[in-house]
Amino acid sequence: MTRLLIADDHPLFRAALHQAAATSVAGCTVLEAADLHGALEALRADADIDLVLLDLHMPGSQGLSGLAALRGQHPGVAVLVVSAHDEPRVVRRALDHGAAGFIPKSASPAEIGEAIRCVLDCGTWLPPALAESVAALPADPADSNLAARLASLTEQQYRVLVLLADGLLNKQIADRLAIQERTVKAHVTAIFEKLGVRNRTQASGVLKALELGEPARVV
């Protein structure tokens, strides 16, 4: 039984994705999450999820950070990026960070269904209008390297990194995550080592490198 997770904060678009998925994959189970935290919770609770349809802009995920978190913490789950950002370079970066395909928010239900079936069959799907221009762009070694470094973080280390990038002090991070401050310090040390950075500013810069401008909302 195929299990899909839709992670998007827009209820109407989430419903459209749900309908397209249910129509294109007979008998599939479709789960939903409205933010990155909910998506990660769903993946922790259900090891049988086959595919995530991930919006790049929703609470907890701005730009490619949500994709990096999902691929790093759940590398066995395929991710189809869904975004109003349909510039070829953005699509190329999403692929470099482990996406199995890209669905623009202007896609028709038929295209969404085709993308889902393609990725479930272990393929890579791009909209025909973008495929040629994306293929002409070389992979960016910096993005590939960044993806590998982020993938080395544990789930808890990634949470600490996000809070660190938000400017929280160790004690505040400890309170937020309900762990001891010395545990936070140990995580921060490990994060610096894995990311190859020397301080909190440089660590924060790693996540900032994943940011994209806010796209126009599609209703």
Side-chain angles (χ1 to χ4, degrees):
M1 180 77 71
T2 302
R3 300 179 69 80
L4 308 181
L5 172 63
I6 296 170
D8 192 299
D9 66 326
H10 197 292
L12 292 178
F13 196 75
R14 202 162 60 236
L17 288 173
H18 192 135
Q19 179 63 33
T23 302
S24 61
V25 183
C28 73
T29 298
V30 182
L31 309 174
E32 296 185 11
D35 54 31
L36 182 62
H37 176 75
L40 292 172
E41 285 290 324
L43 287 165
R44 281 193 293 271
D46 190 341
D48 294 325
I49 292 174
D50 301 290
L51 172 64
V52 178
L53 278 67
L54 176 71
D55 183 13
L56 288 184
H57 284 273
M58 61 180 178
S61 173
Q62 294 301 314
L64 298 167
S65 61
L67 173 60
L70 260 65
R71 292 298 302 149
Q73 297 170 29
H74 302 277
V77 179
V79 180
L80 250 174
V81 163
V82 181
S83 181
H85 270 300
D86 57 1
E87 300 89 347
R89 173 50 64 186
V90 171
V91 179
R92 177 72 262 174
R93 292 192 70 194
L95 296 178
D96 290 346
H97 279 273
F102 182 92
I103 301 175
K105 286 205 167 183
S106 59
S108 67
E111 287 178 312
I112 295 170
E114 180 184 345
I116 291 171
R117 290 191 299 271
C118 175
V119 172
L120 287 174
D121 286 339
C122 300
T124 299
W125 193 88
L126 295 175
L130 285 174
E132 185 174 346
S133 55
V134 172
L137 292 172
D140 187 339
D143 262 328
S144 300
N145 178 268
L146 179 56
R149 286 186 287 156
L150 286 168
S152 71
L153 299 180
T154 67
E155 181 177 337
Q156 190 75 315
Q157 287 167 0
Y158 188 86
R159 291 176 182 167
V160 170
L161 175 62
V162 170
L163 296 176
L164 184 154
D166 285 340
L168 274 66
L169 302 175
N170 287 353
K171 186 180 186 307
Q172 295 171 311
I173 294 173
D175 291 342
R176 183 75 62 87
L177 298 179
I179 58 179
Q180 295 185 359
E181 189 173 352
R182 67 171 179 268
T183 303
V184 174
K185 291 179 180 178
H187 282 319
V188 170
T189 298
I191 289 167
F192 287 0
E193 181 178 349
K194 290 181 177 182
L195 296 184
V197 299
R198 297 181 179 180
N199 54 49
R200 300 167 76 93
T201 300
Q202 290 179 346
S204 299
V206 170
L207 285 187
K208 289 188 179 300
L210 299 175
E211 292 180 355
L212 302 171
E214 185 70 26
R217 301 296 284 174
V218 176
V219 180

